[in-house]
Amino acid sequence: MKHLVLLGGGYGNMRVLLRLLPNQLPEDVQITLIDRNPYHCLKTEYYALAAGTISDQHIRVTFPEHPRLSLKYGEVVKIDVENKQIHLHEQEMVTYDDLVIGLGCEDKYHNVPGAQEFSYSIQTIDRSRNAYQALNNLGANAVVGIIGGGLSGVELASELSESRPDLRVKLFDRGEHILSMFPERLSNYVENWFHSHGVEVINKANITKLEENTVYNHDEPVHCDAIVWTAGIQPIKVVRDLDVEKDAQGRVVLTKQHNLPNDEHVYVVGDCASLPHAPSAQLAEGQAEQIVEVLLARWNQEEPPSEFPPIKLKGVLGSLGKKQGFGLLADRPLMGRVPRLLKSGILWMYRYHNG
């Protein structure tokens, strides 16, 4: 019996399970999914959990059930590819024949002193819960500093300003405009929305250090009653510790079949994989589709495809509170109510098909 181990129950490995189960899994293959949580988490919605506008239950999706799928809950502390072993915190190690690493990412603090110690995070569900408690326990007129004007920072700032208009939200971003990956007119639209909703956007910021309740921008102290860090990500430490080839961002370099160049039994999916596009749930799912095709071919003693067509990304959607949004679909900017409705519909469809 071959043993496929999936590390992490994120978007990539959920798609692997969706494609293999219930009918595509060969009779001589069993699967073990290892995750620290007993459910799949909708990471794209962590900002709303932190802002207190959705419940914890809203972003949990149960893992599938199958006679040859085992679920194991624990913290991965080491991946030993040489001996095909997965070491877990205070648990017995797990061996594998094939491995898909989808452990996700964590915050990248860019060596800013105090950033990790004095800021909250929305990179995991437990850290998002901590951020929720801190933010929603603040009194009226408290100041919230959000570091990073990318998608996560913008969605958190907008959701928080709408749900807690009594708070003073400051959004720090190092660029001339927030959402630097989007067209300028879309960035201007979002900045105007923030202006009309009382969010202070601080462009060309240079965060030099953090102290308790203080953000230093260009070495000038700015008081904040709570600080949330959304200014960059990196592969999780377990993956950073792997002695394999990585790109400049610390992501694992892979073959066109998504496995390690010197090991066709170890695949990497999602945030830890070196791919042409920025990490996203959509990219992880597209990559997972191709990994399943490779696995099925190799299990059948067949040659997998020598290469795949580029993964097509349909676009990016972001929310501005519950009624407005923004996005790019086929390189076409969208602003207003339509992108917000589209995002809500996609989220509903995902839960419906995976729940």
Side-chain angles (χ1 to χ4, degrees), residues 58-110:
H58 184 84
I59 59 173
R60 299 198 307 256
V61 176
T62 56
F63 290 128
E65 296 180 356
H66 189 272
R68 282 179 284 121
L69 170 63
S70 300
L71 303 176
K72 192 171 185 65
Y73 307 120
E75 191 81 22
V76 178
V77 295
K78 182 182 177 182
I79 302 170
D80 183 351
V81 294
E82 185 175 344
N83 296 301
K84 294 191 170 186
Q85 296 174 343
I86 306 300
H87 296 262
L88 303 174
H89 179 64
E90 296 182 347
Q91 294 189 57
E92 290 185 5
M93 68 180 179
V94 177
T95 60
Y96 65 85
D97 295 300
D98 293 288
L99 176 69
V100 182
I101 302 171
L103 289 171
C105 61
E106 58 190 27
D107 291 292
K108 187 173 184 177
Y109 295 104
H110 307 286

Side-chain angles (χ1 to χ4, degrees), residues 245-280:
E245 184 182 356
K246 303 186 181 76
D247 64 15
Q249 287 74 43
R251 301 186 178 106
V252 179
V253 174
L254 303 170
T255 68
K256 293 178 180 180
Q257 290 74 36
H258 307 290
N259 57 266
L260 297 182
N262 61 347
D263 192 337
E264 67 176 31
H265 298 286
V266 178
Y267 305 80
V268 184
V269 66
D271 298 343
C272 297
S274 180
L275 297 170
H277 303 284
S280 69

Side-chain angles (χ1 to χ4, degrees), residues 149-151 153-155 157-158 171 178-179 182-197 199 201 318-320 324-327 334-336:
L151 189 60
V154 164
E155 290 192 307
S158 62
L171 180 60
I178 58 176
L179 297 171
F182 289 92
E184 187 173 327
R185 73 185 186 96
L186 193 149
S187 299
N188 288 334
Y189 168 79
V190 175
E191 288 187 358
N192 289 333
W193 188 94
F194 279 142
H195 180 73
S196 65
H197 286 75
V199 174
V201 177
S319 65
L320 291 172
Q324 300 295 312
F326 58 92
L334 295 178
M335 293 163 277

